[in-house]
Amino acid sequence: MRKFLVVLDDTPECQNAMRYAAMRAARTAGGVVVLATISAEEIQHGIGVADLMRAEAEERITSQYNIFAKWMRDKQSVEPELIIREGDPAQQLVTHIAEDPQIGVIVLGASSGKGGPGPLVTRLTRDIGTLPCPLTLVPGDISKDRLEEIT
């Protein structure tokens, strides 16, 4: 089964990327892998404090994931899989793809703001020729209706 890998983060465009990945997976009998990363900056403290900060980050990620997962199950009949990794988001994404040969498409939301598409999109598009699978960029301000039309 081909899987769509989508990144879960705190950006507004993440919602459209999640929708797109779930709709494409539903229409192509695929799966969805939701990758979230905990940055080193979030847990750089003493061991006891780092463990607490890691647990809090995982709880926040799981809570956010559960909202998307419920929608995917209820509206698209897709059962997503959550992967939480620690470190640089781009590096963790590439590492996860190398570990899961069923990943067939990377789906990222692109910001429509003045600051550009976002650091992850910028970094991956710079190295797109070395990625082992296609990269789909979903505009952050695309409407739900338009997403349904194109998926």
Side-chain angles (χ1 to χ4, degrees):
M1 167 180 40
R2 176 179 64 167
K3 296 179 186 176
F4 293 83
L5 177 65
V6 62
V7 173
L8 174 66
D9 58 25
D10 294 328
T11 62
E13 57 272 12
C14 171
Q15 184 172 0
N16 277 341
M18 290 286 176
R19 285 182 180 140
Y20 179 86
M23 287 189 272
R24 288 295 302 143
R27 287 163 178 78
T28 61
V32 174
V33 174
V34 177
L35 175 68
T37 57
I38 301 170
S39 68
E41 293 83 35
E42 289 183 77
I43 54 173
Q44 279 189 339
H45 295 283
I47 293 174
V49 175
D51 290 342
L52 178 62
M53 294 180 82
R54 182 179 292 109
E56 288 174 355
E58 287 177 4
E59 184 177 320
R60 176 184 45 80
I61 288 167
T62 302
S63 176
Q64 188 179 10
Y65 164 79
N66 285 334
I67 294 167
F68 289 117
K70 180 175 178 2
W71 178 84
M72 288 183 194
R73 285 186 211 104
D74 294 350
K75 301 293 185 187
Q76 302 300 321
S77 299
V78 171
E79 184 61 46
E81 172 187 359
L82 175 63
I83 303 295
I84 300 174
R85 299 180 74 109
E86 290 183 28
D88 174 69
Q91 183 57 49
Q92 293 307 315
L93 185 144
V94 170
T95 299
H96 186 75
I97 292 168
E99 294 171 358
D100 187 346
Q102 291 184 322
I103 300 295
V105 179
I106 303 165
V107 179
L108 297 177
S111 173
S112 57
K114 292 179 187 177
L120 186 56
V121 171
T122 300
R123 183 159 168 202
L124 288 178
T125 54
R126 182 186 67 218
D127 300 328
I128 199 163
T130 63
L131 294 175
C133 60
L135 172 63
T136 299
L137 300 178
V138 181
D141 59 357
I142 195 168
S143 71
K144 270 193 336 186
D145 291 338
R146 181 68 180 135
L147 277 177
E148 288 180 12
E149 287 173 12
I150 62 176
T151 57

